[in-house]
Amino acid sequence: MATASSPLQVRGEVISLKRVGEYYQMAIAAPGIAERAKPGQFVALAVGGEPTSMLLRRAFSIYAADERGVFGGTIEIVFARQGIGTKWLSQLPSHSSVDIVGPLGNPFPIPASPLKTLLIGGGYGSAPLFSLAEVLRTRGCRVEMFLGAATGERLFGIVEGRRAASQLTLVTEDGSVGLRGRVTDHLDELMTRTQTELIYACGPMGMLQAISVFAKERSVPAQCLVEEEMACGIGVCMTCVLPIRGDDGVIRMTRTCVAGPSFDGDTILWEEIGSIPSGTLGAEDLG
Amino acid sequence: MATASSPLQVRGEVISLKRVGEYYQMAIAAPGIAERAKPGQFVALAVGGEPTSMLLRRAFSIYAADERGVFGGTIEIVFARQGIGTKWLSQLPSHSSVDIVGPLGNPFPIPASPLKTLLIGGGYGSAPLFSLAEVLRTRGCRVEMFLGAATGERLFGIVEGRRAASQLTLVTEDGSVGLRGRVTDHLDELMTRTQTELIYACGPMGMLQAISVFAKERSVPAQCLVEEEMACGIGVCMTCVLPIRGDDGVIRMTRTCVAGPSFDGDTILWEEIGSIPSGTLGAEDLG
Amino acid sequence: MSLKVVNRKSPEGNMSVDLRTTLGSLLLPTPVLTASGCAGSGKELSAFFDLSEIGAIVTKSIMQNPRSGRATPRMAETPSGMLNSIGLQGPGVEKFMNEDVPWLAQTGARIIVSIAGNSVEDFARTAARVRRAGDVVSAIEVNISCPNVSNRGLVFACDPISASEVIRAVRRSVGGLFPIFAKLSPDVTDIVSVAKSCVDAGATGLAMINTLLGLVIDTKTMRPKVAGITGGLSGPAIRPVGVRAVWQVHAALPKVPIIGMGGIMSGADAFEYILAGASAVSIGTATFHDPTAALRIQNELSNLLAERGFTALKEAIAYGHRAADEEVGQ
Amino acid sequence: MSLKVVNRKSPEGNMSVDLRTTLGSLLLPTPVLTASGCAGSGKELSAFFDLSEIGAIVTKSIMQNPRSGRATPRMAETPSGMLNSIGLQGPGVEKFMNEDVPWLAQTGARIIVSIAGNSVEDFARTAARVRRAGDVVSAIEVNISCPNVSNRGLVFACDPISASEVIRAVRRSVGGLFPIFAKLSPDVTDIVSVAKSCVDAGATGLAMINTLLGLVIDTKTMRPKVAGITGGLSGPAIRPVGVRAVWQVHAALPKVPIIGMGGIMSGADAFEYILAGASAVSIGTATFHDPTAALRIQNELSNLLAERGFTALKEAIAYGHRAADEEVGQ
Ligand SMILES: Cc1cc2nc3c(=O)[nH]c(=O)nc-3n(C[C@H](O)[C@H](O)[C@H](O)COP(=O)(O)OP(=O)(O)OC[C@H]3O[C@@H](n4cnc5c(N)ncnc54)[C@H](O)[C@@H]3O)c2cc1C
Ligand SMILES: Cc1cc2nc3c(=O)[nH]c(=O)nc-3n(C[C@H](O)[C@H](O)[C@H](O)COP(=O)(O)OP(=O)(O)OC[C@H]3O[C@@H](n4cnc5c(N)ncnc54)[C@H](O)[C@@H]3O)c2cc1C
Ligand SMILES: Cc1cc2nc3c(=O)[nH]c(=O)nc-3n(C[C@H](O)[C@H](O)[C@H](O)COP(=O)(O)O)c2cc1C
Ligand SMILES: Cc1cc2nc3c(=O)[nH]c(=O)nc-3n(C[C@H](O)[C@H](O)[C@H](O)COP(=O)(O)O)c2cc1C
Ligand code: FES
Ligand code: FES
């Protein structure tokens, strides 16, 4: 049944598209979606025009949602040009019409009590963290932000991060901006210094896995926003699953689009992604 | 082997696109093609952008070719919005890049001696006739033009026709512009009045058939530019055939893209289009 | 600039066209169904439209026991299509009948349960459990495009004899009145012979086509893109194959009701299947592109039927087969 | 505005990659061929590129006698594909060998002649006429996707026995040294068994896939769109089916050279077939979209091979089948 928080399908309009470092930042007038969006949710865009040869929607975290944009409710996304779909998006003229479904997935869970939080973003993975930071701060949380990427061009949101977080730390693999190395090379020090009680992370799966392992060692929960290939984004196709241990201890191939996209990193069987872990519900029956 | 008259494949650029009555008139900077184009030839445009779901090129008669356009050699086409491909073309922003192959097919044959010619165009079928008129006049032919369509909105080239022909006659089925009726309703009178010695016709197949039959009765040759669905436009696929009687009297399923697109109407077995006429070369062997 | 930002609305359907269709003893208000595996168990789609507005929800194929399905990645996009290799993930028939079906029933939707199995007995037992639910389930679709463990993993649907064994067993376990539809695979030399043997074995009708066996190699990793190596190809890319299958089977078995599917994206595509001989159509991959696809297609179909002069869907079924001089219903 | 109107040029290929391939006794400078029926007899394509630059021209299937082909319309565009129903129109083998082949030969192109027939004898006689031309023809491709008049019109390629009869007869009429390739249809339950029986009957190698049987109904006329009712589906829509067929047959017959085709539009698509086990690839429908497709794809392929660290095409053939711990040629 459609409810006030149900996703909508809207014919949106591209309000602006600009390059930011290696990424593209796109604002889309999408009334209804903007009003419903919460940090950690995503939208799914149809690509290719009509008739398209690319049937599957592309999923993007909501970077910003403004209920009162000049053109009505507006959402913003940040994306990397990866393949044919994002290439097409990157060439869309302003005022193009785009078919957009959202908001999809669950918002990031927000702690009931004010905690010291660390928000870690890898590459464009920082996109959903700025609106999260805002919410966390209104709930009295301390927000530390840590952004990493291979190069400075692939860091997204330095200015936004300064505004959104109490403190912003940057790291690049080539050392061109901020510290040199990977996020995990500096995590120990950062967590100690800021006495992190809760992590939110979004970025490449390898990074999320490393953070999860690390956080678990120090008994700090880490909410990870994962990216598994999605055909539908709305929970009907079963392509987007990951092996995840439920509260009941049972491992299930769990749809990341509707049960996620963010999960407690400790529940994901990172090592076994790409296989069916033994003990997974229904695994023994697989032909 | 590529020769100076061979077709080229060019990445052209849309210079302008405007609505003219029910049609669209598009100018494309297509250097090389413009220089080679002769009246009666056509171009084939790729549609749908990349990656497209529409693999087949769309064929359009060359309406005008200007070797010295502001943007280099430019060709113009006139098209009706029929299906998904022409819909896509009708929405192309200026300066879009289009992949264009041409000039394709044979030019209209031009008589060696100056004759009294009648150029008949149905709907957008008039498009190739204006440049033809020019050539005929430089060869000393008298050029009479006769344009017909269902409605005034579907008549193309009234202004151009006035310029190109000694006399222009118009006919519409609804009588909104010019005479009322179909081209063939007035052909007898027109041919008598103008003492037509040679007809060129382009338009719907039914019109071409009627003109051919009519012209044959009075022993006037009629060059008809036909439209059969084409997959390749360059002679390699064998989809675009019509049953045509050769000089040797043999009926062959003949490729209209490379042997045409214009034929002496008398050689086409109009009644048998959509079947294999008995006696066609190789027909007896069909399983 | 002209600002046109409106919620996407499906076109209204033409109310004057009678969309009812019959599939054996099953009467449906409209011929538009969801395709198995492309609408889950209905719940998620209900956020986008009222499930009772379309003909029926065909649920994801359910097996006797819970099943994890295959490892990831499970999909690849292909030109105008996609490859999937889900491996029939599901909670098992017991949980499904206790949780998903009752929820779906209370929406007022008609329910066609798709079942799958590794053996003839699996199918029979799963069917029996479904049947026990009574009238809340309208029909069973039997997905015989599964590997038969007792026959070197050969897919049931690829062999007329295995296919008929499954259908006979299901027919036996659900009794004579309950409609069952055999879902056929296009990956066969002669789909008509498989169709015939399913009908002979007691199928009320046929659903076709399931996906085509395909493979995509990732040119970056230089390995098969999906973990299952091969997968099922669906989407508009395969539509001409589906329409051909429906056409051939209808020509051979004109009285057997067919649920047509494969690449239906629009009302015109659905109409193509109806003209070829389908009495109903299922919407699969289109839902991934457009969550409201089923309802939109239903409305487009009723408009198109009206435009072509039909007052009832039934007049259009198999109309593409008419002789050159036969122009009925116009 | 920035004006970029230039003649469309193919990218230059990477010259450092050795593109040579062997198909039995046939050595070709590159693995890129045209697909039968999609390049005519080569003449028209020569306006767009030098035919000797690609691996070989595979000519339109030729039959013993002249053939009118089917009535029009003969085509329908489909999503990322097309349906054709040409009906093997052609001038007959005599005229073809006397006029088309000599012209093609003088361009320096390597020539693979595709033959077709209504009966085993037809094939044998046509093959014998082709063989008589001597070395000007590099190989014969045997298009067995034709109806067998003496077997209720059943397509040869759909039956391992009929298929092997044709191949055996062709092998007998051309002798042992001349390479012959059996062109397989994907419209079968088990393509591996057809492949095996063709190889057993003397095929040097296999070409696959031919088109899939499809049907399009024109929703305006409400009748089949092509005069032949059904037609052959080609183009990128079918690529996953072609890659799957090549993968399966290579896995079963790893030593048999395969010419892969079906929906190749780019160098990456060609590479997919090579990784699946093809030693050469044919470019069909792509040529309709882009007359220089074959040469462009060849250049893209050589660049991609270089990018992936291959110095020779041969290292990449069937590389997609390697075990997880096997990373050769990198
Ligand atoms: C919940 C979620 C949030 C995301 N947020 C962002 C974001 O904010 N910014 C951003 O740049 N990217 C984001 N992604 C990844 C983004 O969806 C892919 O980069 C994009 O789909 C690639 O499309 P393509 O056509 O360029 O690539 P192609 O490789 O051509 O895509 C082929 C198919 O694979 C799917 N696919 C490929 N990569 C991914 C992926 N990583 N995740 C899901 N599907 C994929 C595509 O959707 C498409 O169906 C997100 C993914 C998910 C699941
Ligand atoms: C030599 C020649 C010259 C032409 N000149 C003009 C012109 O000057 N102006 C104009 O408006 N139209 C012209 N046409 C017709 C034009 O090619 C079609 O209207 C156009 O291809 C329709 O494309 P679509 O995608 O809109 O229609 P769809 O019906 O979606 O097309 C589907 C497929 O059928 C083919 N097709 C459909 N109709 C035709 C047709 N009449 N002829 C050839 N292929 C067809 C398309 O190319 C495409 O491959 C010409 C055709 C030919 C053969
Ligand atoms: C992701 C996915 C999952 C599917 N799962 C099932 C299934 O469980 N049972 C079944 O009978 N068919 C299944 N199918 C096949 C569809 O029901 C349908 O037959 C096929 O996709 C063709 O229709 P389409 O092109 O409209 O998708 C699945 C298809 C897809 C794409
Ligand atoms: C218009 C057309 C004509 C064809 N004619 C033949 C033919 O004569 N002989 C043959 O073996 N295959 C023929 N084919 C099949 C192609 O050779 C090829 O196997 C098939 O089209 C798949 O490749 P593609 O997707 O690259 O086109 C034809 C295909 C098309 C589209
Ligand atoms: S993407 Fe379809 S279920 Fe998650
Ligand atoms: S259109 Fe291909 S041969 Fe004429």
Side-chain angles (χ1 to χ4, degrees):
Chain A
M1 268 45 350
T3 66
S5 67
S6 296
L8 295 176
Q9 183 175 14
V10 165
R11 189 156 287 287
E13 178 175 331
V14 176
I15 298 301
S16 71
L17 173 62
K18 60 177 188 222
R19 267 206 91 134
V20 182
E22 292 250 316
Y23 306 113
Y24 295 82
Q25 184 175 337
M26 183 184 270
I28 307 168
I33 295 180
E35 289 80 342
R36 290 161 191 230
K38 294 213 172 69
Q41 292 188 295
F42 65 96
V43 291
L45 269 61
V47 292
E50 277 182 43
T52 184
S53 66
M54 298 177 279
L55 295 181
L56 306 179
R57 284 173 184 266
R58 271 52 177 173
F60 302 99
S61 290
I62 297 169
Y63 158 59
D66 181 355
E67 297 181 28
R68 287 183 223 87
V70 185
F71 305 106
T74 300
I75 63 122
E76 287 186 76
I77 60 172
V78 175
F79 64 92
R81 191 161 147 166
Q82 305 270 15
I84 46 175
T86 47
K87 180 174 172 202
W88 182 85
L89 280 174
S90 74
Q91 295 170 344
L92 266 190
S94 283
H95 310 313
S96 299
S97 154
V98 281
D99 183 332
I100 172 169
V101 172
L104 294 168
N106 301 301
F108 281 119
I110 305 295
S113 53
L115 298 179
K116 299 194 187 71
T117 65
L118 175 62
L119 280 50
I120 312 177
Y124 61 75
S126 58
L129 301 180
F130 308 105
S131 59
L132 171 65
E134 236 170 84
V135 172
L136 289 172
R137 286 171 58 170
T138 63
R139 299 292 181 88
C141 294
R142 190 186 145 88
V143 177
E144 193 82 22
M145 198 175 269
F146 190 18
L147 304 183
T151 65
E153 286 292 279
R154 296 204 194 150
L155 276 176
F156 177 80
I158 304 182
V159 176
E160 295 82 345
R162 291 229 169 83
R163 211 184 308 130
S166 330
Q167 207 186 316
L168 174 69
T169 310
L170 302 172
V171 58
T172 53
E173 285 178 46
D174 66 357
S176 56
V177 178
L179 306 171
R180 178 187 296 272
R182 295 170 162 252
V183 163
T184 39
D185 298 335
H186 302 275
L187 200 53
D188 192 15
E189 192 210 313
L190 201 67
M191 283 176 67
T192 310
R193 175 158 58 79
T194 63
Q195 296 171 293
T196 308
E197 294 168 304
L198 172 60
I199 290 174
Y200 292 91
C202 181
M205 296 293 267
M207 181 190 102
L208 299 182
Q209 173 170 4
I211 292 172
S212 291
V213 171
F214 201 89
K216 187 178 179 178
E217 278 167 15
R218 359 211 108 215
S219 309
V220 173
Q223 273 292 323
C224 297
L225 194 155
V226 299
E227 260 185 44
E228 180 57 53
E229 291 186 11
M230 294 181 175
C232 77
I234 60 170
V236 299
C237 75
M238 312 298 277
T239 59
C240 63
V241 298
L242 287 180
I244 289 180
R245 194 181 304 277
D247 294 338
D248 55 4
V250 178
I251 305 164
R252 292 184 184 79
M253 296 303 281
T254 305
R255 288 169 300 176
T256 58
C257 68
V258 287
S262 61
F263 295 92
D264 180 342
D266 190 25
T267 65
I268 300 179
L269 284 85
W270 295 102
E271 292 286 340
E272 320 244 18
I273 293 176
S275 67
I276 301 290
S278 69
T280 303
L281 184 69
E284 63 284 2
D285 231 49
L286 193 64
Chain B
M1 261 71 323
T3 66
S5 68
S6 296
L8 295 177
Q9 182 175 14
V10 164
R11 187 155 287 286
E13 177 173 333
V14 176
I15 299 301
S16 71
L17 173 61
K18 62 177 186 220
R19 267 206 92 133
V20 181
E22 293 249 317
Y23 305 113
Y24 295 82
Q25 183 176 336
M26 182 183 271
I28 307 169
I33 295 180
E35 288 80 344
R36 290 161 192 231
K38 294 212 173 68
Q41 291 188 295
F42 65 96
V43 291
L45 269 60
V47 293
E50 278 183 42
T52 185
S53 66
M54 297 177 278
L55 296 181
L56 306 179
R57 285 174 183 265
R58 271 53 178 173
F60 302 98
S61 291
I62 298 168
Y63 157 59
D66 181 355
E67 296 182 28
R68 286 184 224 83
V70 185
F71 305 107
T74 300
I75 63 122
E76 287 187 75
I77 60 172
V78 175
F79 64 92
R81 190 162 148 165
Q82 304 272 15
I84 46 175
T86 46
K87 180 173 172 203
W88 183 84
L89 280 175
S90 73
Q91 295 170 344
L92 265 191
S94 284
H95 309 312
S96 300
S97 152
V98 282
D99 184 332
I100 172 169
V101 172
L104 294 168
N106 299 302
F108 281 120
I110 305 294
S113 51
L115 298 179
K116 299 194 188 73
T117 65
L118 174 62
L119 279 49
I120 313 178
Y124 62 75
S126 57
L129 301 181
F130 308 105
S131 59
L132 171 66
E134 236 170 84
V135 172
L136 289 173
R137 286 171 58 172
T138 63
R139 301 290 181 87
C141 293
R142 190 186 145 89
V143 178
E144 192 83 23
M145 197 176 272
F146 190 18
L147 304 183
T151 66
E153 286 291 279
R154 296 204 195 151
L155 276 175
F156 177 80
I158 304 182
V159 176
E160 294 83 345
R162 291 227 171 84
R163 212 184 308 131
S166 330
Q167 206 185 318
L168 173 69
T169 310
L170 302 172
V171 59
T172 53
E173 286 178 44
D174 66 358
S176 57
V177 177
L179 306 170
R180 178 186 296 273
R182 295 168 162 253
V183 163
T184 39
D185 298 336
H186 303 274
L187 199 53
D188 192 14
E189 190 208 316
L190 202 65
M191 282 177 67
T192 310
R193 176 159 55 81
T194 63
Q195 298 170 292
T196 307
E197 295 167 304
L198 173 61
I199 290 175
Y200 292 90
C202 180
M205 295 293 268
M207 181 189 101
L208 299 182
Q209 174 170 5
I211 291 171
S212 291
V213 170
F214 202 89
K216 184 176 183 178
E217 280 167 16
R218 349 207 117 223
S219 309
V220 173
Q223 272 293 321
C224 297
L225 194 155
V226 300
E227 262 185 45
E228 180 57 51
E229 292 188 8
M230 294 182 175
C232 76
I234 60 169
V236 298
C237 76
M238 312 298 279
T239 60
C240 64
V241 298
L242 289 179
I244 291 179
R245 194 182 304 276
D247 293 338
D248 54 4
V250 178
I251 305 164
R252 292 183 184 80
M253 296 303 281
T254 305
R255 289 169 300 177
T256 58
C257 67
V258 286
S262 62
F263 295 91
D264 180 342
D266 189 25
T267 65
I268 301 178
L269 285 85
W270 295 101
E271 291 286 341
E272 320 243 20
I273 292 176
S275 67
I276 302 290
S278 70
T280 302
L281 183 70
E284 63 285 3
D285 230 49
L286 194 63
Chain C
M1 73 175 268
S2 75
L3 186 64
K4 268 184 294 178
V5 184
V6 290
N7 268 20
R8 178 162 171 159
K9 274 262 164 45
S10 314
E12 292 292 312
N14 187 307
M15 304 302 283
S16 69
V17 176
D18 177 0
L19 285 183
R20 283 175 306 169
T21 193
T22 46
L23 299 166
S25 60
L26 177 62
L27 177 74
L28 294 176
T30 91
V32 178
L33 324 176
T34 58
S36 177
C38 301
S41 59
K43 206 167 207 158
E44 293 82 9
L45 272 194
S46 70
F48 293 94
F49 63 90
D50 178 350
L51 302 181
S52 69
E53 279 196 57
I54 63 169
I57 300 293
V58 181
T59 57
K60 167 116 192 113
S61 296
I62 192 79
M63 300 181 77
Q64 215 191 336
N65 297 321
R67 214 165 124 110
S68 65
R70 293 231 177 74
T72 53
R74 289 180 169 184
M75 62 154 255
E77 194 179 53
T78 69
S80 298
M82 67 173 284
L83 202 72
N84 87 80
S85 161
I86 310 295
L88 294 172
Q89 176 168 350
V93 71
E94 199 54 45
K95 190 164 176 352
F96 174 76
M97 293 307 295
N98 290 335
E99 298 177 11
D100 296 320
V101 168
W103 185 90
L104 195 48
Q106 56 79 31
T107 67
R110 285 141 302 274
I111 306 171
I112 298 179
V113 173
S114 170
I115 63 169
N118 294 320
S119 67
V120 173
E121 301 71 49
D122 268 12
F123 275 103
R125 266 182 251 131
T126 306
R129 175 65 190 86
V130 174
R131 187 66 191 97
R132 236 190 299 137
D135 283 347
V136 59
V137 172
S138 295
I140 289 179
E141 192 175 273
V142 190
N143 175 6
I144 51 176
S145 298
C146 325
N148 180 350
V149 290
S150 65
N151 185 7
R152 297 164 296 124
L154 194 78
V155 170
F156 291 100
C158 287
D159 173 30
I161 296 169
S162 307
S164 70
E165 281 168 4
V166 171
I167 299 302
R168 196 165 301 117
V170 172
R171 170 50 74 214
R172 216 178 284 129
S173 66
V174 303
L177 286 173
F178 196 68
I180 63 179
F181 295 88
K183 179 141 175 204
L184 306 185
S185 163
D187 292 323
V188 294
T189 310
D190 180 8
I191 198 166
V192 170
S193 71
V194 184
K196 279 186 178 154
S197 68
C198 289
V199 171
D200 290 344
T204 314
L206 303 161
M208 68 187 78
I209 56 173
N210 214 315
T211 54
L212 274 79
L213 192 66
L215 195 158
V216 169
I217 297 182
D218 183 327
T219 54
K220 288 196 190 104
T221 65
M222 300 186 280
R223 293 192 185 278
K225 173 70 170 59
V226 301
I229 301 183
T230 57
L233 183 65
S234 64
I238 69 167
R239 193 167 63 234
V241 176
V243 173
R244 182 265 298 171
V246 170
W247 177 279
Q248 287 180 324
V249 171
H250 175 81
L253 302 167
K255 290 192 183 128
V256 176
I258 296 175
I259 303 171
M261 78 195 85
I264 299 177
M265 297 292 287
S266 69
D269 301 343
F271 189 46
E272 237 194 292
Y273 274 93
I274 304 284
L275 293 168
S279 296
V281 292
S282 285
I283 312 304
T285 306
T287 295
F288 307 162
H289 183 69
D290 175 2
T292 58
L295 187 58
R296 171 180 55 78
I297 289 168
Q298 176 169 306
N299 290 334
E300 289 170 358
L301 176 64
S302 73
N303 287 325
L304 193 52
L305 286 165
E307 261 177 53
R308 296 284 182 274
F310 295 101
T311 57
L313 170 83
K314 285 184 187 174
E315 299 161 6
I317 295 171
Y319 190 67
H321 291 259
R322 73 197 183 281
D325 54 357
E326 215 186 305
E327 297 278 330
V328 279
Q330 294 301 279
Chain D
M1 74 174 269
S2 74
L3 187 65
K4 268 185 294 178
V5 184
V6 290
N7 268 21
R8 180 163 170 160
K9 274 262 163 48
S10 316
E12 291 294 312
N14 188 307
M15 303 302 282
S16 69
V17 177
D18 176 0
L19 285 182
R20 284 175 303 167
T21 194
T22 46
L23 299 166
S25 60
L26 178 61
L27 177 73
L28 294 177
T30 92
V32 178
L33 325 177
T34 58
S36 177
C38 301
S41 58
K43 205 168 207 159
E44 292 82 9
L45 272 194
S46 70
F48 294 94
F49 62 90
D50 178 349
L51 302 181
S52 69
E53 279 197 56
I54 64 169
I57 300 294
V58 181
T59 56
K60 167 117 192 111
S61 296
I62 192 78
M63 299 181 78
Q64 215 191 337
N65 297 321
R67 216 167 123 111
S68 66
R70 294 232 176 72
T72 53
R74 289 181 169 184
M75 61 155 254
E77 194 180 54
T78 69
S80 298
M82 67 173 285
L83 202 71
N84 88 79
S85 161
I86 310 296
L88 293 171
Q89 175 168 351
V93 71
E94 199 53 46
K95 191 161 174 352
F96 175 76
M97 294 305 296
N98 290 335
E99 296 177 12
D100 297 319
V101 168
W103 184 90
L104 195 48
Q106 57 78 31
T107 68
R110 284 140 304 272
I111 307 171
I112 298 179
V113 173
S114 170
I115 63 169
N118 294 320
S119 68
V120 173
E121 301 70 50
D122 268 12
F123 275 103
R125 266 182 252 130
T126 306
R129 176 64 191 88
V130 175
R131 186 66 192 99
R132 236 189 301 137
D135 284 347
V136 60
V137 172
S138 295
I140 289 180
E141 193 175 271
V142 190
N143 175 7
I144 52 177
S145 298
C146 326
N148 179 350
V149 289
S150 65
N151 184 10
R152 297 165 297 125
L154 193 78
V155 170
F156 291 100
C158 286
D159 173 30
I161 295 169
S162 307
S164 69
E165 281 168 4
V166 171
I167 299 302
R168 195 165 302 115
V170 171
R171 170 50 74 213
R172 216 178 286 129
S173 66
V174 302
L177 286 173
F178 197 67
I180 62 179
F181 296 87
K183 178 141 176 207
L184 306 184
S185 163
D187 291 324
V188 294
T189 309
D190 181 9
I191 198 166
V192 170
S193 70
V194 184
K196 279 186 177 152
S197 68
C198 289
V199 170
D200 291 345
T204 313
L206 303 161
M208 67 186 80
I209 57 175
N210 215 314
T211 53
L212 274 80
L213 192 66
L215 194 158
V216 169
I217 298 183
D218 183 327
T219 55
K220 288 197 191 102
T221 64
M222 300 186 282
R223 293 191 185 277
K225 172 71 170 60
V226 300
I229 300 183
T230 57
L233 183 64
S234 64
I238 69 167
R239 193 167 61 233
V241 176
V243 173
R244 183 264 299 171
V246 169
W247 177 279
Q248 288 180 324
V249 171
H250 175 81
L253 302 168
K255 291 192 183 127
V256 176
I258 297 174
I259 303 171
M261 77 195 84
I264 298 176
M265 297 292 286
S266 69
D269 300 343
F271 189 44
E272 239 194 291
Y273 274 92
I274 303 285
L275 293 168
S279 296
V281 293
S282 285
I283 312 305
T285 306
T287 294
F288 306 163
H289 182 70
D290 174 3
T292 58
L295 187 59
R296 171 179 56 77
I297 290 168
Q298 176 168 306
N299 290 334
E300 289 171 357
L301 176 64
S302 72
N303 287 325
L304 193 52
L305 286 165
E307 262 178 52
R308 296 284 182 275
F310 294 101
T311 55
L313 169 84
K314 286 186 185 173
E315 300 161 6
I317 295 170
Y319 191 66
H321 290 260
R322 73 199 182 281
D325 54 357
E326 215 185 304
E327 297 277 333
V328 280
Q330 295 299 281

